[in-house]
Structures are given as C-alpha cells and as structure tokens.
Amino acid sequence: MSFSRRSLLVTAGTALAATATHGLAFADTAPAADPRMTTRELGDPNAKIVVEEWFSLTCIHCAHFSENTFPLVKKNLIDTGKIRYVFHDFPTDQLATVAAMVARTLPPERYEPFTASLLASLDRWAYIRDSSPLEALKKMAAFAGMPGDVFDKTVADQQLMQFILSQQTEAQNKYHFDSTPTFRFNNKIQMSNDMTYEAFAKNVADAS
C-alpha cells in the first residue's frame, strides 16, 4: 500500500482524535512493565540473519504476502533457525492503527496468529460494507479471546496508540518508507513491496 509522508501524518492525527472520542519473544524497546510495547518476533534470537517487516493491517499487499509467502518463510527460514523475524506495526490508516492496538493487547503468543487472521479476512472487517468495521474487529478480537470491555478500553488507550505512532514515525524518518509492506534484511537490504518466496529467500541469501 503506497502512502505519502503528508498522508501518514494526517492519518496519525486523525487516529489520535478519533480514538480519544470514542513462540514470540520480547526486546527492550519499551518499559518492561507493559508487555504490549515490547518487540514481537519469531525465530531463534541468536540467528545470524534478522529480517524486519513493517506492515499495515488494512494493506492488501501485506495481506497477499502474509497469505502466500510468509507460511513458506516460517517453514523454511524461521522454524529452521536460519532467520529471526521481527514484526513492526506501520498502520497507514485509522482502522489499521486500532487493529494494531488490539493485536498488541492480546497475549504476545497470539500476536502473529491474530494479525495473520486479520490480513486473511480484510473483506470481513476492514472493507465490510453492511456494518461497522470497528464492530467487526471487536468480534474478531472476541474470537481471539479478548472480552468486550477489554476491547473498548484498548481502542481508547492513548498511551498505546502514541507508542505505535511514535514507532511508526521513527521508522519513517530513519528509513524513508514509501509503501507497505517494507522489509529490511540484516540492515543491508531494504525492499518496499510484496514478494514471492523465491525473491524473499534471495534477499536473505544476499544479506547474509
């Protein structure tokens, strides 16, 4: 999903205003007291190759990668200990921001399965036509084990939202993304597009 720096800032401001009114491992990117703000990752923490993905939960290109390429990445590269895979929330609209907040509030081990489920069913919540996307997201969160009152508190949590948006802005300023998904391979190669498993594996090899 392509976006501009201006649209990113507008999205962040809109999300803040709208919400105000209405095995995974951890890293030390946030206070240890709040596990919602720790790094979400899969794989051997000592793997020689680290792959990072910045994605938006309403992005159709992120969804395509998640459904078609990531299962092979997990099977062939993550589960075999060849790479450590780090997930970064990079919401490109208000709804994606709220979805990222919900995903981070679930137990850490449910983060990747829940985000994969959201990306696999965009037409049933993000782009639903006959009901509220937020209500559809609430139902999906309930299926993942989140009580309704917890969901309501989560989507109104300004501290969590600010954390996600601050991380997003920091990444944008540092790496100058122009679309999602964006990948960085061992801090050597950066790619901003959906890709096949073959292309992904080649980048891993080239970054090793």
Side-chain angles (χ1 to χ4, degrees):
M1 179 179 290
S2 299
F3 54 86
S4 67
R5 175 67 176 157
R6 172 176 163 75
S7 68
L8 181 63
L9 293 173
V10 170
T11 295
T14 301
L16 282 168
T19 303
T21 59
H22 179 146
L24 285 172
F26 297 146
D28 57 358
T29 58
D34 194 339
R36 301 174 305 166
M37 300 180 190
T38 53
T39 300
R40 300 302 193 248
E41 59 184 34
L42 292 175
D44 184 349
N46 298 314
K48 294 181 178 180
I49 300 175
V50 178
V51 180
E52 299 175 88
E53 179 190 2
W54 285 262
F55 67 102
S56 173
L57 285 169
T58 55
C59 168
I60 58 173
H61 304 294
C62 301
H64 187 270
F65 176 84
S66 176
E67 291 185 72
N68 295 281
T69 302
F70 185 75
L72 290 174
V73 170
K74 187 175 185 303
K75 176 183 177 181
N76 298 333
L77 300 174
I78 298 174
D79 292 348
T80 57
K82 294 180 180 179
I83 69 172
R84 176 164 63 93
Y85 199 94
V86 182
F87 300 93
H88 295 284
D89 302 304
F90 200 90
T92 53
D93 56 53
Q94 176 187 335
L95 186 59
T97 303
V98 174
M101 294 166 65
V102 173
R104 281 188 165 272
T105 302
L106 288 167
E109 67 274 9
R110 297 185 194 172
Y111 176 85
E112 187 274 327
F114 183 67
T115 57
S117 176
L118 291 183
L119 288 168
S121 55
L122 291 179
D123 60 330
R124 297 199 296 275
W125 70 279
Y127 302 114
I128 196 168
R129 295 183 178 182
D130 57 354
S131 62
S132 163
L134 191 62
E135 285 301 316
L137 177 61
K138 187 174 185 177
K139 290 179 181 178
M140 294 194 69
F143 284 129
M146 179 179 285
D149 60 332
V150 175
F151 179 92
D152 294 338
K153 291 178 182 178
T154 296
V155 301
D157 189 324
Q158 293 297 294
Q159 183 180 11
L160 178 56
M161 176 177 286
Q162 188 56 55
F163 168 77
I164 292 172
L165 296 178
S166 295
Q167 293 286 301
Q168 178 185 35
T169 299
E170 181 180 343
Q172 173 69 16
N173 290 339
K174 187 174 183 179
Y175 300 123
H176 308 291
F177 300 155
D178 58 8
S179 64
T180 52
T182 288
F183 305 89
R184 286 184 62 82
F185 298 82
N186 245 13
N187 271 328
K188 295 179 180 179
I189 299 171
Q190 179 171 312
M191 300 292 294
S192 291
N193 60 290
D194 179 19
M195 66 184 78
T196 64
Y197 173 74
E198 290 73 22
F200 188 97
K202 182 179 186 303
N203 284 313
V204 169
D206 290 345
S208 61

